[in-house]
Amino acid sequence: MANISFYSVDDHAAQALTLLREKLTGHSIWQWPDIGCAADELDYAICWQPPKDFFDRADNLKSILSMAAGVDHLLQHPGLPQGIPLIRLCDAGMGHKIAEYVHYGVLRAHRNFDQYQRYQQARNWCPQPDIDAADYRVGVMGFGVIGKVVANHLHNAGYQVSAWKRSPPDDTHPYAVFSGDHSEFLASLEVLVCVLPLTAQTKNIVDKNLLAQLPAQAHFINVGRGSQVVEEDLLQALDNGQLQSALLDVCSQEPLPQDHRFWTHPGVSITPHVAGPTQLHLSVTQIAQSIKAMEAGQPAQGLRGAVNISAGY
Ligand code: GLV
């Protein structure tokens, strides 16, 4: 029988706990801080944005399971015990949700909906040139589990998709996948979509130099992490016409501070980190499967979702 602590800032934490207990019968699962054993008797920790003291004295954890696809909330945690395997969610229903969100943003740009809204305010009847989806270039930056779902979704919707990933792709796709230097990838895009994980390499990656490599009047959609964007550079690119719009589901500080310019900038649309809400049943099922596999003796490192800690995802 394993001792498991659980913590989530999510509104559905109570429901997640009930589901975890259903799927992991025979194991003890406690909602932190009400732990029914000594911290050093805990075997697993399941969490999303745990507080500073969540890992205190939990020195014998076999694994830490992220209740999210991203593990930046763990890798940046000051109390994260070193040398413990981390496991993240792999899609768990989020890919489809994020693809829907991105598709909405791409359609909004492609079919000029923001433009028509402005025309409406000016009582201006002004049809814009029609562009086939096949001629509309959308680039997906970040080509992991979720980036692939997003790119495939857009490709199936008829868009001229390309993708960029850090290391060369090891599989083939019906669209171009770039790696390494991103200038060729960026040079012809109408819409740039960021689906990257937050790592030391991707922090501030969307800065004025990157944005300047896009064609003028491009659109930007961020469903990755806010800290990948230099927010001042993004605002400047919107102000000088390098970018036409930014649809941001994530910001470097969440909730977005009341006085932030993103709230009122005419080129920015904000949503409160809702592009890929955790799908409870699928997430809990995946976490329960991982714990059962480890309890059956499988090494954490070989499991789906095992995190490469030095790569940061
Ligand atoms: C949400 O942002 C996640 O990482 O799952």
Side-chain angles (χ1 to χ4, degrees):
M1 186 190 85
N3 290 323
I4 304 170
S5 69
F6 167 73
Y7 179 90
S8 168
V9 284
D10 199 275
D11 291 345
H12 302 109
Q15 206 186 338
L17 183 66
T18 306
L19 282 172
L20 281 166
R21 284 179 172 151
E22 269 170 39
K23 301 234 178 254
L24 287 165
T25 46
H27 301 291
S28 298
I29 308 174
W30 293 289
Q31 187 162 17
W32 192 92
D34 297 323
I35 303 297
C37 66
D40 63 1
E41 288 167 353
L42 285 168
D43 299 295
Y44 301 97
I46 303 169
C47 52
W48 166 233
Q49 297 189 339
K52 269 216 290 291
D53 41 355
F54 179 69
F55 297 110
D56 282 3
R57 294 178 298 285
D59 298 328
N60 294 314
L61 289 172
K62 296 180 196 165
S63 163
I64 298 166
L65 298 103
S66 169
M67 191 85 183
V71 285
D72 44 302
H73 65 114
L74 291 174
L75 294 176
Q76 292 168 0
H77 192 288
L80 183 76
Q82 300 303 300
I84 312 281
L86 305 184
I87 299 177
R88 64 191 176 92
L89 291 181
C90 263
D91 189 339
M94 273 180 278
H96 175 70
K97 291 273 174 185
I98 294 175
E100 279 179 346
Y101 179 103
V102 171
H103 193 174
Y104 157 79
V106 169
L107 270 175
R108 199 168 134 178
H110 167 216
R111 300 299 300 268
N112 302 299
F113 287 115
D114 289 342
Q115 179 88 315
Y116 288 126
Q117 198 166 21
R118 286 191 292 275
Y119 285 154
Q120 181 176 345
Q121 275 150 17
R123 298 171 190 244
N124 188 2
W125 187 271
C126 185
Q128 295 298 294
D130 174 52
I131 303 171
D132 266 353
D135 296 324
Y136 200 77
R137 289 156 303 205
V138 184
V140 178
M141 191 164 61
F143 198 56
V145 177
I146 291 179
K148 281 182 188 162
V149 176
V150 170
N152 288 339
H153 181 102
L154 295 171
H155 170 76
N156 292 336
Y159 286 103
Q160 195 180 129
V161 171
S162 59
W164 177 86
K165 72 193 292 278
R166 212 167 52 111
S167 47
D170 47 15
D171 41 8
T172 55
H173 300 277
Y175 42 80
V177 180
F178 297 86
S179 63
D181 174 52
H182 35 53
S183 47
E184 194 188 344
F185 162 69
L186 295 169
S188 63
L189 297 179
E190 259 97 18
V191 184
L192 172 65
V193 183
C194 174
V195 197
L196 288 164
L198 179 61
T199 66
Q201 283 74 31
T202 66
K203 190 170 161 57
N204 293 333
I205 188 171
V206 180
D207 62 0
K208 56 173 174 295
N209 296 325
L210 181 143
L211 293 169
Q213 293 176 62
L214 290 166
Q217 294 288 305
H219 302 265
F220 176 60
I221 300 174
N222 195 5
V223 289
R225 287 287 187 263
S227 302
Q228 285 151 355
V229 175
V230 180
E231 295 184 339
E232 267 314 306
D233 289 2
L234 183 75
L235 284 163
Q236 212 171 69
L238 286 161
D239 288 340
N240 67 24
Q242 178 60 20
L243 279 183
Q244 200 172 141
S245 78
L247 170 59
L248 308 174
D249 188 49
V250 285
C251 310
S252 61
Q253 191 183 336
E254 296 179 8
L256 185 65
Q258 285 296 308
D259 58 353
H260 201 292
R261 263 186 83 201
F262 281 169
W263 285 119
T264 50
H265 194 289
V268 177
S269 300
I270 294 286
T271 52
H273 204 140
V274 290
T278 305
Q279 303 299 296
L280 271 191
H281 282 267
L282 292 170
S283 305
V284 167
T285 301
Q286 208 172 91
I287 285 172
Q289 274 167 356
S290 298
I291 289 181
K292 283 179 187 164
M294 288 182 277
E295 285 301 284
Q298 279 190 45
Q301 285 82 355
L303 295 179
R304 188 163 174 245
V307 172
N308 175 342
I309 292 181
S310 59
Y313 59 92

PDB file of all heavy atoms in Angstrom, residues 8-9 37 64 87 96 103 113 121 127 139 175 184 216 232 265 285 295:
ATOM      1  N   SER A   8      -3.639  20.444  -5.382  1.00  0.00           N
ATOM      2  CA  SER A   8      -3.866  21.146  -6.642  1.00  0.00           C
ATOM      3  C   SER A   8      -4.526  22.476  -6.363  1.00  0.00           C
ATOM      4  O   SER A   8      -5.420  22.555  -5.519  1.00  0.00           O
ATOM      5  CB  SER A   8      -4.753  20.298  -7.559  1.00  0.00           C
ATOM      6  OG  SER A   8      -5.193  21.078  -8.645  1.00  0.00           O
ATOM      7  N   VAL A   9      -4.098  23.523  -7.100  1.00  0.00           N
ATOM      8  CA  VAL A   9      -4.769  24.817  -6.955  1.00  0.00           C
ATOM      9  C   VAL A   9      -6.055  24.850  -7.772  1.00  0.00           C
ATOM     10  O   VAL A   9      -6.826  25.785  -7.682  1.00  0.00           O
ATOM     11  CB  VAL A   9      -3.891  26.007  -7.440  1.00  0.00           C
ATOM     12  CG1 VAL A   9      -2.823  26.333  -6.439  1.00  0.00           C
ATOM     13  CG2 VAL A   9      -3.311  25.761  -8.813  1.00  0.00           C
ATOM     14  N   CYS A  37       0.293  10.264   7.479  1.00  0.00           N
ATOM     15  CA  CYS A  37       1.517   9.533   7.813  1.00  0.00           C
ATOM     16  C   CYS A  37       2.628  10.563   7.939  1.00  0.00           C
ATOM     17  O   CYS A  37       2.425  11.741   7.624  1.00  0.00           O
ATOM     18  CB  CYS A  37       1.858   8.507   6.706  1.00  0.00           C
ATOM     19  SG  CYS A  37       2.290   9.246   5.122  1.00  0.00           S
ATOM     20  N   ILE A  64       7.261  11.989  -8.400  1.00  0.00           N
ATOM     21  CA  ILE A  64       6.353  13.136  -8.274  1.00  0.00           C
ATOM     22  C   ILE A  64       5.586  13.228  -9.586  1.00  0.00           C
ATOM     23  O   ILE A  64       6.188  13.227 -10.672  1.00  0.00           O
ATOM     24  CB  ILE A  64       7.158  14.429  -8.025  1.00  0.00           C
ATOM     25  CG1 ILE A  64       7.933  14.298  -6.703  1.00  0.00           C
ATOM     26  CG2 ILE A  64       6.241  15.645  -8.005  1.00  0.00           C
ATOM     27  CD1 ILE A  64       9.007  15.357  -6.507  1.00  0.00           C
ATOM     28  N   ILE A  87       6.943  12.780 -13.430  1.00  0.00           N
ATOM     29  CA  ILE A  87       6.103  12.269 -14.525  1.00  0.00           C
ATOM     30  C   ILE A  87       5.037  13.309 -14.812  1.00  0.00           C
ATOM     31  O   ILE A  87       4.398  13.825 -13.895  1.00  0.00           O
ATOM     32  CB  ILE A  87       5.470  10.920 -14.133  1.00  0.00           C
ATOM     33  CG1 ILE A  87       6.594   9.923 -13.881  1.00  0.00           C
ATOM     34  CG2 ILE A  87       4.534  10.415 -15.233  1.00  0.00           C
ATOM     35  CD1 ILE A  87       6.151   8.589 -13.420  1.00  0.00           C
ATOM     36  N   HIS A  96      -6.613  18.014 -27.720  1.00  0.00           N
ATOM     37  CA  HIS A  96      -7.781  18.345 -28.544  1.00  0.00           C
ATOM     38  C   HIS A  96      -8.348  19.711 -28.152  1.00  0.00           C
ATOM     39  O   HIS A  96      -8.703  20.526 -29.008  1.00  0.00           O
ATOM     40  CB  HIS A  96      -8.836  17.242 -28.397  1.00  0.00           C
ATOM     41  CG  HIS A  96     -10.095  17.562 -29.118  1.00  0.00           C
ATOM     42  ND1 HIS A  96     -10.190  17.574 -30.487  1.00  0.00           N
ATOM     43  CD2 HIS A  96     -11.318  17.933 -28.648  1.00  0.00           C
ATOM     44  CE1 HIS A  96     -11.413  17.938 -30.844  1.00  0.00           C
ATOM     45  NE2 HIS A  96     -12.125  18.163 -29.748  1.00  0.00           N
ATOM     46  N   HIS A 103      -7.398  26.680 -33.270  1.00  0.00           N
ATOM     47  CA  HIS A 103      -8.168  26.741 -34.525  1.00  0.00           C
ATOM     48  C   HIS A 103      -9.047  27.992 -34.533  1.00  0.00           C
ATOM     49  O   HIS A 103      -9.149  28.704 -35.528  1.00  0.00           O
ATOM     50  CB  HIS A 103      -9.020  25.472 -34.664  1.00  0.00           C
ATOM     51  CG  HIS A 103      -9.603  25.285 -36.033  1.00  0.00           C
ATOM     52  ND1 HIS A 103     -10.290  24.162 -36.402  1.00  0.00           N
ATOM     53  CD2 HIS A 103      -9.622  26.098 -37.121  1.00  0.00           C
ATOM     54  CE1 HIS A 103     -10.691  24.287 -37.657  1.00  0.00           C
ATOM     55  NE2 HIS A 103     -10.306  25.453 -38.110  1.00  0.00           N
ATOM     56  N   PHE A 113     -11.971  38.308 -38.746  1.00  0.00           N
ATOM     57  CA  PHE A 113     -13.087  38.646 -37.857  1.00  0.00           C
ATOM     58  C   PHE A 113     -12.822  39.908 -37.036  1.00  0.00           C
ATOM     59  O   PHE A 113     -13.741  40.698 -36.808  1.00  0.00           O
ATOM     60  CB  PHE A 113     -13.428  37.462 -36.940  1.00  0.00           C
ATOM     61  CG  PHE A 113     -14.128  36.344 -37.674  1.00  0.00           C
ATOM     62  CD1 PHE A 113     -13.535  35.094 -37.816  1.00  0.00           C
ATOM     63  CD2 PHE A 113     -15.378  36.543 -38.229  1.00  0.00           C
ATOM     64  CE1 PHE A 113     -14.175  34.070 -38.503  1.00  0.00           C
ATOM     65  CE2 PHE A 113     -16.026  35.528 -38.918  1.00  0.00           C
ATOM     66  CZ  PHE A 113     -15.418  34.285 -39.056  1.00  0.00           C
ATOM     67  N   GLN A 121     -17.953  48.757 -36.298  1.00  0.00           N
ATOM     68  CA  GLN A 121     -18.027  49.948 -35.439  1.00  0.00           C
ATOM     69  C   GLN A 121     -18.035  51.224 -36.280  1.00  0.00           C
ATOM     70  O   GLN A 121     -18.649  52.220 -35.909  1.00  0.00           O
ATOM     71  CB  GLN A 121     -16.866  49.958 -34.442  1.00  0.00           C
ATOM     72  CG  GLN A 121     -17.216  49.132 -33.211  1.00  0.00           C
ATOM     73  CD  GLN A 121     -15.991  48.506 -32.565  1.00  0.00           C
ATOM     74  OE1 GLN A 121     -14.856  48.908 -32.827  1.00  0.00           O
ATOM     75  NE2 GLN A 121     -16.222  47.506 -31.726  1.00  0.00           N
ATOM     76  N   PRO A 127     -15.706  44.120 -47.822  1.00  0.00           N
ATOM     77  CA  PRO A 127     -15.200  42.738 -47.938  1.00  0.00           C
ATOM     78  C   PRO A 127     -13.683  42.709 -48.148  1.00  0.00           C
ATOM     79  O   PRO A 127     -13.152  43.514 -48.896  1.00  0.00           O
ATOM     80  CB  PRO A 127     -15.910  42.184 -49.177  1.00  0.00           C
ATOM     81  CG  PRO A 127     -16.980  43.150 -49.510  1.00  0.00           C
ATOM     82  CD  PRO A 127     -16.631  44.467 -48.898  1.00  0.00           C
ATOM     83  N   GLY A 139       2.385  28.434 -38.355  1.00  0.00           N
ATOM     84  CA  GLY A 139       3.560  27.735 -37.832  1.00  0.00           C
ATOM     85  C   GLY A 139       3.366  27.385 -36.364  1.00  0.00           C
ATOM     86  O   GLY A 139       2.999  28.244 -35.560  1.00  0.00           O
ATOM     87  N   TYR A 175       3.688  17.675 -43.426  1.00  0.00           N
ATOM     88  CA  TYR A 175       4.014  19.099 -43.513  1.00  0.00           C
ATOM     89  C   TYR A 175       5.455  19.263 -43.036  1.00  0.00           C
ATOM     90  O   TYR A 175       6.035  18.335 -42.448  1.00  0.00           O
ATOM     91  CB  TYR A 175       3.039  19.947 -42.673  1.00  0.00           C
ATOM     92  CG  TYR A 175       2.704  19.347 -41.330  1.00  0.00           C
ATOM     93  CD1 TYR A 175       3.571  19.459 -40.247  1.00  0.00           C
ATOM     94  CD2 TYR A 175       1.513  18.641 -41.143  1.00  0.00           C
ATOM     95  CE1 TYR A 175       3.271  18.898 -39.023  1.00  0.00           C
ATOM     96  CE2 TYR A 175       1.196  18.067 -39.917  1.00  0.00           C
ATOM     97  CZ  TYR A 175       2.081  18.200 -38.861  1.00  0.00           C
ATOM     98  OH  TYR A 175       1.795  17.628 -37.653  1.00  0.00           O
ATOM     99  N   GLU A 184      14.066  30.335 -41.040  1.00  0.00           N
ATOM    100  CA  GLU A 184      13.350  29.868 -42.237  1.00  0.00           C
ATOM    101  C   GLU A 184      11.893  29.546 -41.896  1.00  0.00           C
ATOM    102  O   GLU A 184      10.972  29.854 -42.655  1.00  0.00           O
ATOM    103  CB  GLU A 184      14.065  28.628 -42.794  1.00  0.00           C
ATOM    104  CG  GLU A 184      13.617  28.277 -44.193  1.00  0.00           C
ATOM    105  CD  GLU A 184      14.176  26.932 -44.665  1.00  0.00           C
ATOM    106  OE1 GLU A 184      15.134  26.420 -44.038  1.00  0.00           O
ATOM    107  OE2 GLU A 184      13.620  26.401 -45.644  1.00  0.00           O
ATOM    108  N   ALA A 216       5.654  41.205 -41.638  1.00  0.00           N
ATOM    109  CA  ALA A 216       4.899  42.266 -40.946  1.00  0.00           C
ATOM    110  C   ALA A 216       3.430  41.897 -40.917  1.00  0.00           C
ATOM    111  O   ALA A 216       2.923  41.204 -41.814  1.00  0.00           O
ATOM    112  CB  ALA A 216       5.093  43.586 -41.670  1.00  0.00           C
ATOM    113  N   GLU A 232       7.136  43.252 -23.133  1.00  0.00           N
ATOM    114  CA  GLU A 232       7.353  44.600 -23.671  1.00  0.00           C
ATOM    115  C   GLU A 232       7.626  44.533 -25.172  1.00  0.00           C
ATOM    116  O   GLU A 232       7.153  45.373 -25.939  1.00  0.00           O
ATOM    117  CB  GLU A 232       8.524  45.284 -22.950  1.00  0.00           C
ATOM    118  CG  GLU A 232       8.110  46.124 -21.767  1.00  0.00           C
ATOM    119  CD  GLU A 232       6.896  47.032 -22.058  1.00  0.00           C
ATOM    120  OE1 GLU A 232       6.957  47.791 -23.047  1.00  0.00           O
ATOM    121  OE2 GLU A 232       5.895  46.971 -21.323  1.00  0.00           O
ATOM    122  N   HIS A 265      -4.948  46.719 -24.527  1.00  0.00           N
ATOM    123  CA  HIS A 265      -4.359  46.943 -25.854  1.00  0.00           C
ATOM    124  C   HIS A 265      -5.313  46.417 -26.930  1.00  0.00           C
ATOM    125  O   HIS A 265      -5.764  45.265 -26.857  1.00  0.00           O
ATOM    126  CB  HIS A 265      -3.003  46.227 -25.948  1.00  0.00           C
ATOM    127  CG  HIS A 265      -2.219  46.695 -27.124  1.00  0.00           C
ATOM    128  ND1 HIS A 265      -2.567  46.393 -28.424  1.00  0.00           N
ATOM    129  CD2 HIS A 265      -1.127  47.499 -27.207  1.00  0.00           C
ATOM    130  CE1 HIS A 265      -1.710  46.961 -29.250  1.00  0.00           C
ATOM    131  NE2 HIS A 265      -0.824  47.636 -28.531  1.00  0.00           N
ATOM    132  N   THR A 285      -6.846   8.916 -14.658  1.00  0.00           N
ATOM    133  CA  THR A 285      -6.599   7.560 -15.175  1.00  0.00           C
ATOM    134  C   THR A 285      -5.114   7.397 -15.498  1.00  0.00           C
ATOM    135  O   THR A 285      -4.483   6.390 -15.136  1.00  0.00           O
ATOM    136  CB  THR A 285      -7.455   7.304 -16.444  1.00  0.00           C
ATOM    137  OG1 THR A 285      -8.816   7.476 -16.076  1.00  0.00           O
ATOM    138  CG2 THR A 285      -7.236   5.922 -17.022  1.00  0.00           C
ATOM    139  N   GLU A 295       4.230   0.634  -8.784  1.00  0.00           N
ATOM    140  CA  GLU A 295       4.020  -0.302  -7.669  1.00  0.00           C
ATOM    141  C   GLU A 295       4.255  -1.745  -8.110  1.00  0.00           C
ATOM    142  O   GLU A 295       4.615  -2.603  -7.314  1.00  0.00           O
ATOM    143  CB  GLU A 295       2.605  -0.136  -7.096  1.00  0.00           C
ATOM    144  CG  GLU A 295       2.446   1.107  -6.245  1.00  0.00           C
ATOM    145  CD  GLU A 295       3.412   1.134  -5.053  1.00  0.00           C
ATOM    146  OE1 GLU A 295       3.150   0.408  -4.076  1.00  0.00           O
ATOM    147  OE2 GLU A 295       4.432   1.860  -5.102  1.00  0.00           O
TER     148      GLU A 295
END
